[in-house]
Amino acid sequence: MEQATIFQYVEDQYGIQPEYLWSKYPSYAVLRQPQNHKWFAILMDVSADKLGLLTEQFIPIMVIKLEPETVELLQADPAFLPAYHMNKSHWVSARLDKIDTKESYQLLERSYTLISG
């Protein structure tokens, strides 16, 4: 799953463009709800060892906000890891190299709905 595909989906669905907030990490993108300015996803490439994996390659991830029960359930799947730099009870890291397009869209919709309510 490519970041560009996610960005196009979010633009088409919600009219939202990614924001690049960190000059030190120019490829890290935040997706934010325009009315309340809450984040619903962060896309980045992170060194696998920072995610607790035993390799030094970079892994594309999407960190998304979900209900704590959903976060807990998803972490039983190897495609999901504890949230990188976010509250681990409310956020989860989805490996973009391990989930399909449909699943990523469903997760984005759930996260967007959660932060919009």
Side-chain angles (χ1 to χ4, degrees), residues 31-46:
L31 299 174
R32 181 191 318 237
Q33 205 268 8
Q35 284 74 37
N36 63 23
H37 305 288
K38 291 183 180 180
W39 298 4
F40 64 98
I42 309 154
L43 287 92
M44 59 186 92
D45 291 326
V46 177

Side-chain angles (χ1 to χ4, degrees), residues 3-67:
Q3 283 187 0
T5 304
I6 291 172
F7 295 152
Q8 187 63 56
Y9 171 80
V10 171
E11 183 176 359
D12 293 345
Q13 190 75 12
Y14 307 110
I16 294 172
Q17 293 283 325
E19 297 179 45
Y20 299 91
L21 304 177
W22 302 282
S23 58
K24 186 175 178 180
Y25 301 103
S27 66
Y28 287 20
V30 171
L31 299 174
R32 181 191 318 237
Q33 205 268 8
Q35 284 74 37
N36 63 23
H37 305 288
K38 291 183 180 180
W39 298 4
F40 64 98
I42 309 154
L43 287 92
M44 59 186 92
D45 291 326
V46 177
S47 177
D49 63 329
K50 291 182 180 178
L51 299 169
L53 303 174
L54 300 176
T55 179
E56 293 182 16
Q57 72 184 81
F58 280 78
I59 305 290
I61 61 171
M62 175 174 67
V63 185
I64 47 175
K65 185 170 188 172
L66 298 168
E67 305 84 0

